Amino acid sequence: MDPLSVAGLGIGVASLAFQAFAGCIKGFVLLSAAHNFDQNSSTLLCLLNLQELQLTEWARRAGLLKDPPKLDTRLNELMVRAVLQQLQALLSDTDKLQSRYKMSFKTPPGATQEDVAENTNTKTNERDEGILRSTVSNTLRREIMHRAGIISDRGSLPKRLWWAAVDRGKFQELIETIRTFIVELWKLFDPIRQDQMLQHMQIVLSHVISTSERMDELTTLKDALQHTSSAIDQSSSNSALASAAGVKSLMISMRSNTTNIVRSTMNRPPKDGHTFESSLPPFQELDMALIKNFKPIKHCANIGIADMNGRSVLVECKDMSRQFRAKMIERARDLAYLLSAPKDESFRSLRCEGLTRDNDDAKIAFVFTLPHAQPNGPLQSLRSLFGLSPSVTERIKLALQLTKSLDYLHTAGWLHKDLRSENILFLPTNQSSTVANPVIAGFAFARLDSPCAISEQPSADPQHDIYRHPEAMGEPSTSFTASKDIYSLGCILLEIGEWRSLRSLVENVVKVAKPNVSLMELARVRPFLLDDGPKGGLGMLRYRMGDMFAATTKMMLSGSIPVQWQVADDETALHRPGVLNVAIRELGRCLI
């Protein structure tokens, strides 16, 4: 066969696959946009939207979203077309949907043009599309179907069907069948490409959660993520993202002018069967007299182990300044309630039992539950472990765990504000690794990620200030942002790589132990850390940990993604990765 014929055959196969893919999109539109669906079934609709998102991400990677479509030559063309055509038939055959899944449709007599063609420019319709509306938009759906010839007008979608009857159990069975087909498509890629698709899905969902401001949508997405069960859905990230969505919905409730969770009655009835906050235990303000035998951990005087009611608890103390004291007490109570919310283990945080304070509110303390059945041994901070010798592999794994944890915290709308090696704790463990299962502490100054929130200065201690971005030192002049947390984590990654304290790394730049260290002296720390020359902070990191780890650390300290890691050639990407997304990706590729 001559080259032109081969090229023509390739275009023809891609065109046939694209036609079937566009037919699948039409089926998703007809199912998800149909009228008269029970509003209590929002989780099922979100699950359906998740399948459409996964199919669209697969099509993007397969080359079907290019114009013209060009199927990836590494894929089995006949298998792609066969699976897509079966999925299209499943989604579009109303007779089979009725007989097999008990779903009856009808087109009401005398339907208006508004019923036949949906105008997606209205805010009402945008709300109806749910929390995943920004991932597979009606604009993208219309473009796909218009290029396939399914619709003639880019401004309209196919006619909207009406449900005559819906069986929730059968609808869930339909979603599972749809998922089976999409799993088969994903499996046509090699494992590395599958991992890349999963990572991008997590980035998209993380962006959806972090930008949503609607409690009902976040709760729906949380429930949908908790229900996922197939091969491409089984990921610890899904559980963590479900937790992030739940915590974010709780934060929105806490910010609301009409709902103050902490000050409401302790036995407040739930608003409905799905609200995240209704499942939480009541907030507790504990008696300071119950906290006994407080023993601070090494290098961190305000965090330690204490006895409470015959058991050990972790206690984090905080001195309260007179300025804004009433406001800060209110924030501390809200924070304690927030820290009590159940979270996936990827958050790397302990559950807060409650808050205690002295009589004049000069000091408060957060009380945290310690896991049961822990081996005997001291609670240690990362800084206190620098004398030990964990392997490079263990240290890279630790850096990845901490980076993922901060990403989930930020996704949930949470700023830590005081990340440093003294606040990374390790419970006694039977594992051989000395740095396994880190716990992030030091939440005393954490707050919601809101530009309107009061920025509280965590401390005036130079040994702590060296972890802070120059704009976060001294009296706050600008609102604290997520990028400043990322900078602090970059400092910790440098410590992990060099395996020594930041204080010792910067001693030639600033002597933090001397009295009256000026802000001008502290401002020299960041340029030094970013210097990858022989005498700079990054000078030896590449030698000790490899190019990828060193570049990741520098990216977090600078806040800029290197050009070679930027996705510039794929205009069909649903969302561009941020600094933490790229850091997680690159640290995950470090194989030692």
Side-chain angles (χ1 to χ4, degrees):
M1 187 177 292
D2 64 87
L4 288 178
S5 298
V6 172
L9 178 60
I11 294 172
V13 171
S15 178
L16 290 171
F18 178 74
Q19 289 288 333
F21 166 67
C24 294
I25 295 299
K26 176 185 176 182
F28 276 114
V29 171
L30 293 176
L31 287 176
S32 61
H35 290 284
N36 290 356
F37 200 95
D38 184 358
Q39 291 185 352
N40 293 326
S41 300
S42 56
T43 299
L44 292 179
L45 285 174
C46 189
L47 280 168
L48 183 66
N49 294 148
L50 278 172
Q51 303 317 306
E52 184 183 16
L53 172 59
Q54 289 174 339
L55 176 63
T56 306
E57 170 62 12
W58 173 86
R60 183 178 74 84
R61 299 277 177 173
L64 294 184
L65 294 189
K66 295 179 179 179
D67 190 10
K70 186 178 180 180
L71 190 66
D72 191 316
T73 56
R74 291 169 290 184
L75 295 175
N76 185 317
E77 299 167 344
L78 295 179
M79 183 67 73
V80 166
R81 189 173 63 182
V83 175
L84 285 173
Q85 288 174 343
Q86 291 179 69
L87 180 57
Q88 178 187 10
L90 174 66
L91 291 166
S92 305
D93 191 331
T94 55
D95 291 334
K96 282 189 176 180
L97 289 173
Q98 182 171 358
S99 61
R100 184 178 299 178
Y101 300 104
K102 311 301 181 186
M103 299 167 63
S104 299
F105 300 98
K106 65 180 179 179
T107 301
T112 65
Q113 183 65 25
E114 183 180 358
D115 298 320
V116 176
E118 179 183 8
N119 180 355
T120 60
N121 292 326
T122 64
K123 292 183 179 180
T124 301
N125 285 328
E126 287 178 358
R127 287 196 299 268
D128 291 343
E129 291 164 19
I131 190 170
L132 297 177
R133 59 182 172 269
S134 63
T135 59
V136 185
S137 66
N138 277 339
T139 300
L140 178 58
R141 291 170 179 147
R142 289 195 301 265
E143 180 62 29
I144 291 169
M145 287 186 285
H146 181 266
R147 284 166 49 193
I150 294 175
I151 58 175
S152 58
D153 181 6
R154 280 190 173 91
S156 301
L157 287 173
K159 66 179 181 180
R160 300 181 70 181
L161 297 176
W162 290 66
W163 300 97
V166 179
D167 184 311
R168 285 173 54 86
K170 289 293 184 179
F171 191 83
Q172 189 163 359
E173 183 181 328
L174 170 63
I175 293 173
E176 292 298 325
T177 307
I178 293 170
R179 180 182 287 141
T180 301
F181 285 115
I182 298 175
V183 168
E184 291 305 312
L185 290 170
W186 278 53
K187 286 181 177 178
L188 294 177
F189 280 116
D190 60 76
I192 294 177
R193 298 288 295 280
Q194 290 182 43
D195 287 342
Q196 290 173 349
M197 287 192 291
L198 273 175
Q199 289 171 7
H200 186 70
M201 284 286 299
Q202 301 303 327
I203 291 172
V204 171
L205 292 173
S206 176
H207 176 73
V208 167
I209 294 169
S210 64
T211 56
S212 176
E213 292 295 327
R214 289 187 56 179
M215 290 176 56
D216 56 341
E217 292 182 343
L218 287 164
T219 302
T220 296
L221 181 58
K222 173 183 72 70
D223 293 341
L225 289 171
Q226 289 175 336
H227 278 82
T228 53
S229 60
S230 76
I232 59 174
D233 290 324
Q234 282 183 340
S235 167
S236 59
S237 298
N238 269 6
S239 176
L241 287 171
S243 293
V247 173
K248 179 69 180 292
S249 69
L250 178 59
M251 289 182 176
I252 292 172
S253 179
M254 292 169 69
R255 289 203 308 257
S256 170
N257 292 328
T258 59
T259 305
N260 189 313
I261 296 172
V262 171
R263 288 195 293 270
S264 61
T265 58
M266 295 302 179
N267 297 315
R268 139 187 80 76
K271 298 176 184 177
D272 54 53
H274 296 287
T275 52
F276 180 66
E277 63 268 24
S278 64
S279 64
L280 299 182
F283 170 79
Q284 294 190 61
E285 189 145 335
L286 305 171
D287 185 354
M288 180 73 83
L290 295 175
I291 310 299
K292 300 177 180 179
N293 303 321
F294 176 77
K295 297 178 182 178
I297 64 173
K298 189 176 181 180
H299 300 305
C300 201
N302 65 321
I303 299 178
I305 302 294
D307 297 326
M308 188 180 78
N309 296 329
R311 58 190 176 89
S312 296
V313 292
L314 180 73
V315 177
E316 182 173 343
C317 304
K318 177 182 179 181
D319 294 323
M320 304 294 289
S321 64
R322 292 189 177 276
Q323 187 181 23
F324 306 122
R325 179 173 291 181
K327 183 68 176 177
M328 292 301 103
I329 290 292
E330 179 184 335
R331 177 186 287 182
R333 298 180 71 198
D334 285 348
L335 176 61
Y337 195 85
L338 189 66
L339 290 167
S340 73
K343 293 177 284 293
D344 183 80
E345 63 177 9
S346 299
F347 275 73
R348 302 286 167 188
S349 62
L350 300 175
R351 188 186 72 82
C352 184
E353 294 189 25
L355 179 73
T356 182
R357 48 183 172 155
D358 59 15
N359 293 331
D360 60 356
D361 292 339
K363 176 175 287 190
I364 63 172
F366 299 89
V367 180
F368 296 88
T369 302
L370 288 173
H372 296 295
Q374 289 292 317
N376 292 327
L379 183 70
Q380 299 186 83
S381 69
L382 175 60
R383 182 179 170 184
S384 66
L385 296 180
F386 287 142
L388 303 179
S389 303
S391 68
V392 172
T393 300
E394 291 173 318
R395 284 148 58 194
I396 290 175
K397 182 179 178 181
L398 171 61
L400 180 58
Q401 289 174 324
L402 296 177
T403 305
K404 285 183 175 180
S405 177
L406 184 60
D407 185 43
Y408 293 133
L409 290 172
H410 286 178
T411 297
W414 197 340
L415 298 175
H416 187 282
K417 292 192 63 182
D418 199 19
L419 286 170
R420 45 193 168 86
S421 56
E422 295 93 336
N423 288 335
I424 309 300
L425 306 181
F426 296 88
L427 301 171
T429 177
N430 290 322
Q431 298 187 33
S432 58
S433 173
T434 55
V435 294
N437 301 319
V439 171
I440 296 180
F443 286 103
F445 297 92
R447 66 165 173 80
L448 307 185
D449 186 1
S450 171
C452 301
I454 298 173
S455 286
E456 189 180 6
Q457 183 183 0
S459 79
D461 186 342
Q463 297 189 57
H464 299 172
D465 284 337
I466 56 177
Y467 291 89
R468 299 193 178 103
H469 192 281
E471 294 178 1
M473 296 181 192
E475 288 297 325
S477 57
T478 59
S479 183
F480 193 93
T481 59
S483 63
K484 296 178 177 64
D485 265 347
I486 295 173
Y487 173 84
S488 298
L489 183 58
C491 294
I492 295 174
L493 257 64
L494 181 56
E495 288 182 301
I496 292 173
E498 291 285 345
W499 204 241
R500 58 187 176 123
S501 69
L502 191 65
R503 173 180 175 175
S504 67
L505 284 167
V506 302
E507 62 182 354
N508 291 331
V509 177
V510 57
K511 304 291 185 183
V512 295
K514 75 174 187 178
N516 303 319
V517 178
S518 68
L519 290 178
M520 185 175 296
E521 291 176 282
L522 291 170
R524 295 200 295 262
V525 170
R526 183 170 183 261
F528 168 76
L529 296 182
L530 284 169
D531 184 359
D532 51 12
K535 296 184 179 181
L538 295 171
M540 295 297 293
L541 192 60
R542 210 169 51 153
Y543 164 75
R544 300 187 194 283
M545 301 294 287
D547 291 349
M548 203 167 291
F549 189 96
T552 300
T553 303
K554 185 172 184 177
M555 174 183 66
M556 299 176 84
L557 291 170
S558 67
S560 300
I561 301 174
V563 175
Q564 67 270 24
W565 288 348
Q566 294 179 11
V567 182
D569 59 342
D570 191 353
E571 296 180 357
T572 64
L574 297 173
H575 181 66
R576 303 296 180 186
V579 170
L580 288 179
N581 302 138
V582 174
I584 291 169
R585 183 188 72 200
E586 299 304 323
L587 288 173
R589 292 175 176 174
C590 293
L591 301 176
I592 302 294

